[in-house]
Amino acid sequence: MKTIYGVLGYPIKHSLSPAMHNAVFKYLSLDCSYYAFEVNKDNLKEAIYGAKALKFGGLNLTIPLKEKALEIVSADPLSKKIGSINTIDFKDGIKGYTTDGIGAKLALEPYINIKGKNLLLLGAGGAARAIAFQFKKEGADIVIANRTKERAIKLAKEVGVRGYGLDNLKNLVENADIIINSTSVGMYPNTNHTLIPSDWINPDHVVFDIVYNPIETKLLEDAKKAGAKTLNGVMMLVYQGAESFKIWTGIEPPIDIMKKAVLKGLRSI
Ligand code: ATR
């Protein structure tokens, strides 16, 4: 019997997860299918319990359900600290995990040794929380800068690092080895927005934008022109998906197949 997987969220129409996971199921000849389901916070509990009852293989969660889902499942300690989950596994009860942080780590690792590096993290939302806790664990020296300063300070305190508003950003950029944008600034349709003027970036910077639509944001375009190493959000998306896949199946999925499916999907949205 076919095993069903799915991603829950709202809006969900443009999710790239079905294409990414179905490509792997096909490549590995597994009798599984992955679908996107439009679910809101009010019917999230029913949806999760329904999927369990229907013997789904697993679920992903996306905006706006990642925090709410944490209250419904039995979550691992890291997800509890971060405050969100993006993966549910049904093998033994209803277990929740987050793979966003590990996705970011695996994406960045080939570019720079993270340990001991000065990392400027822009943003203090859900994605920033996952990245902050993960990269602290990897030994980065982190500063967090966010439009709403109080939010940066709150997250920084939880992680055990420093938090700022955007007023001192030039200094923070100057002192950074790695810059990660985890805000939605630059994301479609506001593609000409960036938080960092181009002339602040230098060739020694590694600039990672977790946004993947567009693939090259204004920040990355500027960073490239300045001679910096750049990384877009595609591989973070792929690796977080690969980690979910491993949790569900125990199988190491083919990363290149997933990447190809994501890039093809991005061209069609
Ligand atoms: P996610 O879960 O995807 O991280 P989020 O929790 O809504 O989403 O967080 C979005 C992040 O982008 C926040 O850090 C937000 O800053 P605030 O905390 O001040 O809201 C940041 N952000 C969004 N639009 C922004 C803008 N125009 N300028 C600066 N930061 C922005």
Side-chain angles (χ1 to χ4, degrees):
M1 203 171 69
K2 191 183 274 297
T3 308
I4 306 295
Y5 293 81
V7 56
L8 314 183
Y10 184 81
I12 198 68
K13 218 167 75 193
H14 294 303
S15 172
L16 296 164
S17 294
M20 182 163 70
H21 288 286
N22 283 325
V24 180
F25 291 141
K26 190 171 168 203
Y27 181 81
L28 297 175
S29 304
L30 297 174
D31 190 15
C32 305
S33 281
Y34 187 113
Y35 300 95
F37 297 98
E38 197 176 281
V39 171
N40 58 41
K41 285 184 188 173
D42 295 335
N43 52 26
L44 179 60
K45 191 170 177 182
E46 285 80 357
I48 292 172
Y49 277 79
K52 167 82 179 163
L54 294 171
K55 298 194 166 50
F56 273 38
L59 290 174
N60 281 132
L61 299 142
T62 187
I63 290 169
L65 308 174
K66 289 184 182 187
E67 292 83 20
K68 174 89 181 172
L70 188 70
E71 302 161 16
I72 298 165
V73 308
S74 157
D76 75 329
L78 178 66
S79 315
K80 280 189 191 155
K81 261 206 292 194
I82 292 170
S84 69
I85 60 163
N86 71 342
T87 305
I88 293 178
D89 184 49
F90 293 119
K91 276 192 289 299
D92 176 21
I94 303 181
K95 295 256 168 68
Y97 305 87
T98 177
T99 66
D100 288 331
I102 188 97
K105 171 193 126 106
L106 292 172
L108 187 59
E109 247 172 11
Y111 287 76
I112 186 168
N113 179 7
I114 298 156
K115 195 172 160 70
K117 296 296 189 306
N118 291 326
L119 165 58
L120 168 60
L121 178 60
L122 302 170
R129 291 187 66 83
I131 291 171
F133 280 104
Q134 184 76 42
F135 283 74
K136 169 78 175 174
K137 209 166 85 185
E138 306 308 320
D141 194 347
I142 304 173
V143 293
I144 299 169
N146 191 50
R147 176 178 61 180
T148 310
K149 187 176 175 179
E150 297 70 38
R151 223 176 159 199
I153 292 172
K154 181 175 176 289
L155 173 58
K157 212 167 150 191
E158 285 177 53
V159 179
V161 301
R162 289 155 294 149
Y164 302 89
L166 297 180
D167 39 319
N168 195 27
L169 194 55
K170 190 173 184 201
N171 259 328
L172 299 179
V173 169
E174 231 165 63
N175 290 324
D177 301 305
I178 306 168
I179 300 165
I180 303 182
N181 176 46
S182 72
T183 74
S184 46
V185 176
M187 196 186 282
Y188 178 84
N190 301 313
T191 52
N192 60 347
H193 292 188
T194 176
L195 291 176
I196 302 182
S198 53
D199 57 345
W200 294 2
I201 304 171
N202 68 58
D204 295 330
H205 282 131
V206 173
V207 182
F208 175 17
D209 199 329
I210 73 161
V211 171
Y212 52 78
N213 185 18
I215 291 180
E216 186 165 279
T217 58
K218 170 91 168 85
L219 171 65
L220 293 187
E221 197 186 305
D222 289 347
K224 227 179 221 175
K225 278 188 198 147
K229 265 193 208 166
T230 61
L231 172 65
N232 63 46
V234 168
M235 289 317 287
M236 175 174 167
L237 177 70
V238 167
Y239 279 118
Q240 64 78 30
E243 289 303 304
S244 298
F245 192 93
K246 273 197 270 182
I247 289 170
W248 299 324
T249 65
I251 299 170
E252 192 84 46
I255 295 298
D256 50 332
I257 297 289
M258 299 179 85
K259 183 181 176 187
K260 228 161 107 183
V262 166
L263 291 176
K264 190 173 166 206
L266 278 172
R267 280 194 294 271
S268 66
I269 57 175

